[in-house]
Amino acid sequence: MIRDLHRRGWCDGTGGNFSCVLSRDPLRLLMAPSGIHKGSVRGADLVQVNEAGAVVEGNGRASAETLLHLEIVHTCGAGAVLHTHSPAATLLSRLALQSQQQNEHGPAGVVFEGLEMMKGLEGITTHHSRVVLPVVSNDQDLRRLSDLASPLLNDAPHGLLVGGHGLYAWGSNLFTAQRHVEILEFLLDQTWRELVVKSLHPTAPAHSTPAP
């Protein structure tokens, strides 16, 4: 699965991190270790991490972003959390934060509307829906970043953008989390393409835009 996400250009180099819940009592996450090239990761490279974010099995280091994985697992009951670094997620998260700063409107987000692929998100049953993917500013202090993201998680569409960084997507299990990554990355890709078309042809319809 990690290699597949790498092949799609969503976690180039050592970018991205991925976790799957092995047990909840005690909590154990199976994770790709920090600093490993995601196109060549092997099963033997994976590490087990406890509730404190410490490696309890395996030889690699846990990513600093483990704290946000743990926050999503606790708050959303997620069984897997997948973090990608796609160009579309990086671009649109920056635009959404810039739009928020300029207009001083509520939380930043990217809005999707009228797209059939939204129905791949758990709980969405029609394209006549409005889905807002929240965006938070990046912070190298992962405890502070996790605290900032926490109140947005329950209402998020199984995903969250970190500004200039990438997408966190999750699900009740690994299969569902992977589906949510694929759907959200499609929607993000569609959004920036619509923005380009609209800039070239201002009268063209744009159904998905960064929220003001």
Side-chain angles (χ1 to χ4, degrees):
M1 183 272 297
I2 295 175
R3 289 184 180 181
D4 180 55
L5 297 179
H6 174 267
R7 282 193 294 269
R8 301 182 77 161
W10 297 343
C11 53
D12 289 336
T14 60
N17 45 70
F18 312 93
S19 67
C20 183
V21 175
L22 291 178
S23 68
R24 294 191 182 271
D25 189 16
L27 184 63
R28 293 289 184 269
L29 301 184
L30 184 67
M31 301 192 71
S34 178
I36 193 168
H37 190 281
K38 300 309 186 293
S40 59
V41 65
R42 305 167 302 162
D45 297 322
L46 303 180
V47 297
Q48 289 189 32
V49 177
N50 65 14
E51 189 163 357
V55 173
V56 294
E57 188 171 322
N59 297 318
R61 292 183 298 110
S63 167
E65 293 165 352
T66 300
L67 291 178
L68 187 48
H69 286 248
L70 289 166
E71 186 68 36
I72 293 169
V73 167
H74 284 306
T75 302
C76 304
V81 181
L82 309 178
H83 171 44
T84 52
H85 283 203
S86 73
T90 305
L91 169 68
L92 292 173
S93 62
R94 285 170 58 85
L95 291 178
L97 288 173
Q98 290 169 10
S99 178
Q100 179 206 33
Q101 291 165 2
Q102 292 168 2
N103 295 286
E104 297 182 351
H105 289 304
V110 178
V111 177
F112 309 120
E113 294 180 294
L115 296 168
E116 183 72 12
M117 285 289 277
M118 295 189 306
K119 290 163 57 179
L121 298 172
E122 200 166 82
I124 303 297
T125 59
T126 173
H127 71 283
H128 294 299
S129 299
R130 186 175 189 270
V131 172
V132 181
L133 184 63
V135 183
V136 296
S137 297
N138 197 11
D139 196 323
Q140 298 304 300
D141 183 329
L142 266 295
R143 174 48 60 200
R144 194 160 54 210
L145 177 59
S146 298
D147 289 343
L148 183 65
S150 184
L152 304 174
L153 296 177
N154 278 327
D155 293 327
H158 314 288
L160 171 84
L161 286 172
V162 178
H165 188 175
L167 170 71
Y168 283 81
W170 58 88
S172 56
N173 52 50
L174 186 58
F175 174 81
T176 304
Q178 183 174 359
R179 187 181 82 234
H180 287 157
V181 162
E182 292 175 355
I183 295 298
L184 289 169
E185 288 288 4
F186 172 91
L187 295 172
L188 290 165
D189 189 70
Q190 175 71 14
T191 297
W192 81 259
R193 291 174 187 273
E194 287 185 357
L195 290 174
V196 170
V197 170
K198 188 175 182 182
S199 71
L200 297 173
H201 306 283
T203 59
H207 301 294
S208 308
T209 57

